[in-house]
Amino acid sequence: GNPRFIDSNEPHGFSRMQSGTFSSEFNWGFTNFDDFPHAIVTTFQIITLEGWSDIMYRTIDAWTIWPSIIAYASLIVLGG
């Protein structure tokens, strides 16, 4: 995966996190569909309804609203 900290200590003298990749708003990069293991964990999280709405809102932001809602509703109904 992606490195958690950037390599350069400049300009502040200490290593810094990559805020675009690892942030609490994006569940620290764990819930995504980038590869098969993460997709399985994310799908399991959606089916069990544990934090699924945050993932759906990020999908709506990246895609469009109606296909996202249909995809998540069918995944919850068929998977649960």
Side-chain angles (χ1 to χ4, degrees), residues 46-69:
I46 293 166
I47 290 172
T48 58
L49 300 177
E50 185 64 34
W52 69 275
S53 60
D54 296 329
I55 301 169
M56 187 184 72
Y57 292 143
R58 284 187 281 135
T59 306
I60 289 172
D61 290 341
W63 206 15
T64 58
I65 188 165
W66 288 110
S68 300
I69 291 173

Side-chain angles (χ1 to χ4, degrees), residues 4-62:
R4 188 170 182 147
F5 294 94
I6 59 176
D7 294 331
S8 173
N9 290 336
E10 299 297 328
H12 303 292
F14 56 89
S15 58
R16 299 175 308 275
M17 278 188 118
Q18 294 183 9
S19 62
T21 304
F22 295 97
S23 69
S24 60
E25 295 175 1
F26 299 122
N27 294 328
W28 301 103
F30 290 118
T31 53
N32 59 51
F33 295 99
D34 291 343
D35 54 15
F36 189 71
H38 282 114
I40 294 295
V41 170
T42 304
T43 303
F44 178 76
Q45 185 173 350
I46 293 166
I47 290 172
T48 58
L49 300 177
E50 185 64 34
W52 69 275
S53 60
D54 296 329
I55 301 169
M56 187 184 72
Y57 292 143
R58 284 187 281 135
T59 306
I60 289 172
D61 290 341

